[in-house]
Amino acid sequence: NAGVTQTPKFQVLKTGQSMTLQCAQDMNHEYMSWYRQDPGMGLRLIHYSVGAGITDQGEVPNGYNVSRSTTEDFPLRLLSAAPSQTSVYFCASSRGLVGNTQYFGPGTRLTVL
Amino acid sequence: QKEVEQDPGPLSVPEGAIVSLNCTYSNSAFQYFMWYRQYSRKGPELLMYTYSSGNKEDGRFTAQVDKSSKYISLFIRDSQPSDSATYLCAMSAETVVIGGGTSYGKLTFGQGTILTVHP
């Protein structure tokens, strides 16, 4: 199993540009989520999904869109990038709450100029 | 006030020391308590998981939960340089069951404590 994969690893955007961060898992997990990690802030939940076709907002959803058309993929879209979105983004997946073992991807480091 | 508070450190200890990492929280609905370890430029990985109050031991690691005080701890015995990482506490409330029996719980993380164990 590859686990949770994220692409790209690094990205630099200009203000106003849009892009999609890719996330895929091969563990047949129902639950997937996106977090951002900023210094001194820990991990903050952006959006999450409990299955294909079902998504909901987390703590900091503004400026981001998600969709879940398959169990495996959960892309995160930045609609119009802003410098405040400079961060490290982590995707995670889990089978459910039992043990709530969330498996994290390696992260995407995004810089918005 | 944040729901989960964690001293960011940094914490520097000599090899072999006992390390104590702590988090406090304000949401009394939290029932699931976790500790994640994150090495530099990597994603977090689950270290310990505890449901409700009590202690749990795994090798050199012991997790404690005191729900009456809304306080959780992670102890590392005989610390090693390989333990140098950021340690994040995370918590979740009871499951919410939606149609089809799917259950989920959103995690709330602490800020993380940077630990360095020097030889």
Side-chain angles (χ1 to χ4, degrees):
Chain A
N1 284 353
V4 179
T5 58
Q6 290 183 241
T7 56
K9 284 187 170 55
F10 302 94
Q11 183 71 50
V12 179
L13 292 178
K14 293 181 179 178
T15 296
Q17 286 184 316
S18 63
M19 79 158 296
T20 299
L21 279 61
Q22 301 292 344
C23 174
Q25 52 93 7
D26 61 359
M27 297 174 281
N28 200 32
H29 285 168
E30 292 180 66
Y31 183 65
M32 296 185 74
S33 52
W34 276 101
Y35 295 86
R36 59 177 290 173
Q37 187 173 36
D38 303 293
M41 302 292 290
L43 285 155
R44 292 183 292 168
L45 184 64
I46 303 171
H47 285 286
Y48 64 97
S49 168
V50 299
I54 308 171
T55 64
D56 203 352
Q57 296 181 350
E59 183 185 353
V60 288
N62 292 342
Y64 307 95
N65 269 1
V66 292
S67 60
R68 182 103 177 265
S69 56
T70 67
T71 300
E72 294 78 20
D73 301 298
F74 190 42
L76 178 72
R77 281 182 289 278
L78 279 70
L79 308 173
S80 177
S84 61
Q85 294 178 305
T86 294
S87 187
V88 182
Y89 291 85
F90 289 101
C91 178
S93 76
S94 65
R95 189 167 300 282
L97 186 63
V98 177
N100 210 11
T101 304
Q102 290 209 19
Y103 295 88
F104 284 82
T108 294
R109 292 182 173 273
L110 176 68
T111 301
V112 182
L113 302 174
Chain B
Q1 183 188 2
K2 294 180 181 177
E3 274 192 307
V4 179
E5 296 279 359
Q6 183 177 5
D7 186 343
L11 188 60
S12 181
V13 301
E15 183 174 356
I18 296 174
V19 176
S20 172
L21 304 166
N22 311 295
C23 288
T24 59
Y25 63 95
S26 57
N27 187 347
S28 57
F30 286 144
Q31 294 279 4
Y32 301 87
F33 304 92
M34 287 137 279
W35 286 95
Y36 283 81
R37 178 175 61 195
Q38 184 178 23
Y39 290 115
S40 181
R41 296 185 172 265
K42 300 288 186 183
E45 55 180 346
L46 182 67
L47 196 58
M48 299 283 286
Y49 159 78
T50 308
Y51 173 70
S52 195
S53 285
N55 294 358
K56 187 171 185 177
E57 189 173 321
D58 183 3
R60 296 184 294 110
F61 298 89
T62 299
Q64 288 185 351
V65 175
D66 182 350
K67 291 188 68 181
S68 63
S69 302
K70 296 190 177 68
Y71 188 87
I72 72 170
S73 300
L74 177 71
F75 297 95
I76 307 175
R77 290 184 299 280
D78 187 25
S79 56
Q80 302 295 309
S82 58
D83 295 328
S84 299
T86 297
Y87 290 80
L88 300 130
C89 63
M91 308 177 189
S92 177
E94 282 291 348
T95 60
V96 176
V97 179
I98 61 177
T102 303
S103 63
Y104 67 93
K106 293 183 285 184
L107 289 182
T108 301
F109 282 85
Q111 299 96 309
T113 300
I114 300 170
L115 171 67
T116 301
V117 181
H118 50 87

XYZ file of all heavy atoms in Angstrom, chain A residues 39-42, chain B residues 2-12 19-25 35-36 70-74 85-91 109-116:
338
model
N 2.908 27.792 11.849
C 3.701 27.874 13.087
C 2.865 28.381 14.259
O 2.172 29.396 14.146
C 4.804 28.864 12.713
C 4.930 28.756 11.238
C 3.546 28.498 10.727
N 2.916 27.644 15.371
C 2.208 28.060 16.572
C 0.708 27.827 16.553
O 0.014 28.168 17.513
N 0.207 27.241 15.448
C -1.248 27.065 15.337
C -1.655 25.597 15.334
O -2.837 25.282 15.329
C -1.759 27.720 14.048
C -1.464 29.192 13.930
S -2.386 30.149 15.127
C -4.041 30.004 14.483
N -0.727 24.699 15.303
C -1.076 23.291 15.205
C -1.714 22.986 13.855
O -1.520 23.695 12.866
N -8.534 28.921 22.955
C -8.571 27.729 22.132
C -9.147 26.561 22.905
O -9.005 26.480 24.128
C -7.155 27.394 21.661
C -6.562 28.424 20.720
C -5.161 28.033 20.282
C -4.592 29.100 19.359
N -3.212 28.798 18.963
N -9.780 25.643 22.169
C -10.351 24.456 22.813
C -9.279 23.563 23.413
O -9.503 22.890 24.418
C -11.148 23.646 21.806
C -12.585 24.093 21.627
C -13.403 23.098 20.841
O -12.976 22.723 19.741
O -14.458 22.694 21.336
N -8.127 23.517 22.767
C -7.032 22.679 23.233
C -5.782 23.547 23.337
O -5.408 24.219 22.375
C -6.763 21.507 22.272
C -5.599 20.655 22.770
C -8.020 20.657 22.116
N -5.146 23.532 24.494
C -3.942 24.314 24.722
C -2.757 23.383 24.974
O -2.857 22.435 25.756
C -4.124 25.244 25.931
C -5.193 26.310 25.772
C -4.705 27.524 24.982
O -3.527 27.555 24.571
O -5.526 28.434 24.773
N -1.652 23.705 24.322
C -0.448 22.883 24.476
C 0.746 23.816 24.497
O 0.856 24.704 23.652
C -0.347 21.884 23.312
C 0.818 20.942 23.397
C 0.839 19.915 22.274
O 0.032 19.937 21.348
N 1.784 18.995 22.339
N 1.625 23.620 25.443
C 2.824 24.450 25.543
C 3.728 24.130 24.359
O 4.150 22.998 24.192
C 3.548 24.153 26.861
C 4.725 25.084 27.096
O 5.187 25.736 26.127
O 5.195 25.165 28.235
N 4.033 25.136 23.528
C 4.824 24.857 22.321
C 6.298 24.575 22.579
O 7.016 24.132 21.682
C 4.649 26.127 21.495
C 4.367 27.191 22.489
C 3.609 26.536 23.611
N 6.750 24.822 23.843
C 8.162 24.611 24.123
C 8.999 25.734 23.520
O 8.569 26.884 23.529
N 10.174 25.458 22.964
C 10.742 24.125 22.793
C 11.248 23.528 24.101
O 11.553 24.237 25.039
C 11.879 24.356 21.808
C 12.298 25.763 22.045
C 11.056 26.515 22.424
N 11.310 22.212 24.112
C 11.750 21.463 25.267
C 13.027 20.712 24.889
O 13.045 20.004 23.893
C 10.651 20.463 25.671
C 10.781 19.684 26.960
C 10.855 20.624 28.141
C 9.582 18.735 27.090
N 14.082 20.912 25.658
C 15.354 20.269 25.376
C 15.780 19.466 26.600
O 15.841 20.026 27.704
C 16.417 21.320 25.028
O 17.652 20.689 24.742
N 10.484 12.567 29.955
C 9.857 13.743 29.360
C 8.369 13.729 29.672
O 7.714 12.685 29.603
C 10.053 13.744 27.828
C 9.311 14.913 27.194
C 11.538 13.787 27.481
N 7.842 14.882 30.018
C 6.418 15.028 30.275
C 5.851 16.086 29.340
O 6.304 17.228 29.327
C 6.187 15.450 31.727
O 4.829 15.763 31.948
N 4.865 15.701 28.539
C 4.198 16.609 27.614
C 2.732 16.689 28.019
O 2.136 15.667 28.388
C 4.327 16.096 26.177
C 5.761 15.860 25.700
C 5.770 15.041 24.414
C 6.466 17.183 25.478
N 2.169 17.886 27.939
C 0.823 18.068 28.484
C -0.072 18.888 27.572
O 0.405 19.733 26.814
C 0.919 18.793 29.834
C 1.940 18.163 30.754
O 1.785 17.031 31.186
N 3.019 18.881 31.024
N -1.374 18.650 27.716
C -2.389 19.453 27.042
C -3.552 19.663 27.991
O -3.897 18.749 28.760
C -2.895 18.783 25.774
S -1.721 18.775 24.417
N -4.156 20.822 27.904
C -5.405 21.064 28.610
C -6.481 21.359 27.578
O -6.176 21.773 26.444
C -5.283 22.250 29.583
O -4.910 23.418 28.837
C -4.250 21.979 30.654
N -7.713 21.136 27.952
C -8.806 21.371 27.012
C -10.023 21.903 27.745
O -10.137 21.788 28.962
C -9.136 20.094 26.241
C -9.645 18.944 27.083
C -11.007 18.720 27.248
C -8.757 18.069 27.703
C -11.474 17.662 28.003
C -9.207 17.004 28.462
C -10.569 16.805 28.610
O -11.027 15.749 29.358
N -2.140 11.178 20.840
C -0.859 11.852 20.698
C -0.262 11.462 19.353
O -0.183 10.276 19.011
C 0.095 11.458 21.824
C -0.263 12.090 23.130
C -1.016 11.546 24.132
C 0.101 13.403 23.565
N -1.137 12.446 25.172
C -0.475 13.581 24.844
C 0.862 14.434 23.008
C -0.296 14.773 25.577
C 1.030 15.604 23.740
C 0.458 15.762 25.001
N 0.133 12.479 18.608
C 0.795 12.280 17.330
C 2.239 12.762 17.450
O 2.532 13.734 18.144
C 0.101 13.065 16.219
C -1.176 12.430 15.723
C -2.371 12.593 16.416
C -1.179 11.676 14.554
C -3.549 12.008 15.952
C -2.360 11.090 14.083
C -3.532 11.270 14.787
O -4.690 10.682 14.337
N -9.618 17.963 32.910
C -9.486 18.297 31.486
C -7.998 18.461 31.142
O -7.566 19.510 30.619
C -10.274 19.551 31.138
C -11.787 19.403 31.319
C -12.512 20.606 30.732
C -14.013 20.466 30.834
N -14.490 20.534 32.213
N -7.258 17.402 31.412
C -5.805 17.454 31.312
C -5.311 16.113 30.816
O -5.714 15.069 31.339
C -5.261 17.738 32.715
C -3.791 18.014 32.835
C -3.291 19.305 32.674
C -2.897 16.996 33.150
C -1.944 19.565 32.815
C -1.544 17.251 33.279
C -1.077 18.540 33.119
O 0.262 18.801 33.261
N -4.444 16.129 29.795
C -3.852 14.879 29.330
C -2.347 15.022 29.286
O -1.823 16.141 29.126
C -4.405 14.428 27.962
C -3.899 15.310 26.817
C -5.936 14.406 27.975
C -4.219 14.756 25.440
N -1.662 13.897 29.434
C -0.205 13.907 29.464
C 0.352 12.752 28.653
O -0.288 11.706 28.505
C 0.300 13.752 30.913
O -0.160 14.794 31.725
N 1.551 12.956 28.164
C 2.331 11.903 27.528
C 3.693 11.886 28.206
O 4.363 12.917 28.272
C 2.505 12.145 26.031
C 3.378 11.115 25.301
C 2.633 9.779 25.208
C 3.766 11.601 23.908
N 11.286 15.402 18.016
C 10.188 15.608 17.072
C 9.229 16.629 17.684
O 9.433 17.088 18.804
C 9.443 14.301 16.796
N 8.190 16.938 16.933
C 7.083 17.729 17.480
C 5.981 16.766 17.891
O 5.615 15.876 17.122
C 6.548 18.726 16.434
O 7.575 19.649 16.101
C 5.346 19.487 16.989
N 5.464 16.949 19.104
C 4.407 16.085 19.620
C 3.107 16.883 19.693
O 3.052 17.953 20.300
C 4.788 15.538 20.994
C 5.916 14.536 20.892
C 7.232 14.955 20.767
C 5.650 13.167 20.865
C 8.266 14.047 20.628
C 6.688 12.245 20.735
C 7.982 12.692 20.606
O 9.009 11.778 20.466
N 2.087 16.342 19.041
C 0.787 17.022 18.981
C -0.247 16.196 19.721
O -0.376 14.996 19.469
C 0.328 17.182 17.527
C 1.238 17.995 16.608
C 1.507 17.248 15.332
C 0.595 19.320 16.270
N -0.997 16.855 20.605
C -2.149 16.177 21.177
C -3.354 16.461 20.279
O -3.396 17.476 19.576
C -2.414 16.625 22.604
S -2.828 18.370 22.792
N -4.307 15.540 20.283
C -5.514 15.709 19.481
C -6.682 15.067 20.221
O -6.499 14.097 20.955
C -5.345 15.078 18.104
N -7.863 15.622 20.017
C -9.030 15.147 20.750
C -10.248 15.147 19.852
O -10.332 15.917 18.889
C -9.305 16.064 21.943
C -8.087 16.254 22.800
S -8.315 17.367 24.135
C -6.610 17.508 24.684
N -6.670 19.692 17.305
C -5.265 19.522 17.672
C -4.785 20.638 18.587
O -5.256 21.784 18.499
C -4.392 19.532 16.416
C -4.411 18.248 15.638
C -5.415 18.004 14.711
C -3.425 17.299 15.822
C -5.436 16.822 13.993
C -3.437 16.116 15.107
C -4.447 15.880 14.192
N -3.815 20.304 19.421
C -3.054 21.315 20.131
C -2.003 21.900 19.201
O -1.843 21.461 18.057
N -1.283 22.903 19.683
C -0.322 23.616 18.843
C 0.941 22.793 18.577
O 1.677 23.075 17.639
C 0.095 24.936 19.499
C -1.036 25.908 19.716
C -1.597 25.803 21.117
O -1.927 24.707 21.593
N -1.746 26.928 21.775
N 1.187 21.773 19.393
C 2.395 20.970 19.227
C 3.519 21.449 20.114
O 3.694 22.658 20.312
N 4.288 20.503 20.678
C 5.469 20.804 21.493
C 6.692 20.269 20.783
O 6.739 19.088 20.418
C 5.382 20.159 22.884
O 4.247 20.650 23.573
C 6.640 20.466 23.697
N 7.683 21.138 20.570
C 8.926 20.725 19.920
C 9.859 20.153 20.984
O 10.207 20.834 21.955
C 9.594 21.922 19.221
C 8.648 22.506 18.166
C 10.911 21.500 18.588
C 9.123 23.831 17.589
N 10.249 18.904 20.803
C 11.126 18.220 21.756
C 12.461 17.896 21.090
O 12.498 17.358 19.988
C 10.476 16.916 22.240
C 11.362 15.991 23.070
C 11.687 16.635 24.417
C 10.698 14.626 23.272
N 13.530 18.222 21.798
C 14.869 17.828 21.356
C 15.525 17.030 22.475
O 15.579 17.504 23.623
C 15.746 19.051 21.021
O 15.111 19.811 19.993
C 17.122 18.614 20.544
